[in-house]
Amino acid sequence: MAATIYGGIDIAMKIPPHQYQATVAFYRDVVGLTPITDKAPAIGFELGPNQLWLDEAPMLSQAEVWLELFTDDFNKASGHLSGAGVVRCDAIEPLPDGFRGGWVTNPANIVHMLREPDAW
């Protein structure tokens, strides 16, 4: 049986400190997206059926967009991706011990979190 992988709901925008507050204000004050406030200090916004999370990333010089993929079985999906030549990049951002997920990149170097829906 093949691994099942499908789109998640979270989109993360990793933003350098010198652009962070202006980007938050853009989505909040200019665009007028509804803020997500129940996971403070994280800042998120409703983006249609998705959630846009703005993360301050001191190690970056320009913003990056990271996407989320879900799977019902992380180990099986990870093996499937590995067999297709996809390399894990878990060192990019720490995840909690026991977390059922990990980081991968697509061929264009866009970071994806692959995780089970209840991995947190």
Side-chain angles (χ1 to χ4, degrees):
M1 175 187 219
T4 302
I5 300 172
Y6 51 100
I9 62 168
D10 290 332
I11 300 168
M13 189 176 296
K14 305 296 185 172
I15 306 164
H18 68 280
Q19 298 170 326
Y20 184 73
Q21 289 303 324
T23 304
V24 170
F26 172 79
Y27 288 106
R28 182 190 60 224
D29 305 333
V30 178
V31 177
L33 295 181
T34 302
I36 301 169
T37 59
D38 63 341
K39 298 196 188 272
I43 297 175
F45 295 93
E46 293 178 13
L47 187 67
N50 297 83
Q51 297 178 353
L52 174 63
W53 295 97
L54 305 183
D55 297 331
E56 191 169 1
M59 65 288 205
L60 297 180
S61 63
Q62 62 187 26
E64 296 181 2
V65 173
W66 295 12
L67 303 174
E68 178 180 62
L69 296 171
F70 282 164
T71 180
D72 293 330
D73 184 331
F74 175 71
N75 290 328
K76 183 184 278 188
S78 179
H80 168 75
L81 291 177
S82 178
V86 176
V87 178
R88 296 267 301 268
C89 57
D90 290 335
I92 197 162
E93 184 175 294
L95 294 168
D97 289 338
F99 185 82
R100 292 180 318 279
W103 300 106
V104 299
T105 58
N106 72 14
N109 288 320
I110 301 298
V111 176
H112 293 67
M113 172 185 278
L114 173 64
R115 70 177 182 93
E116 294 178 17
D118 60 351
W120 297 106

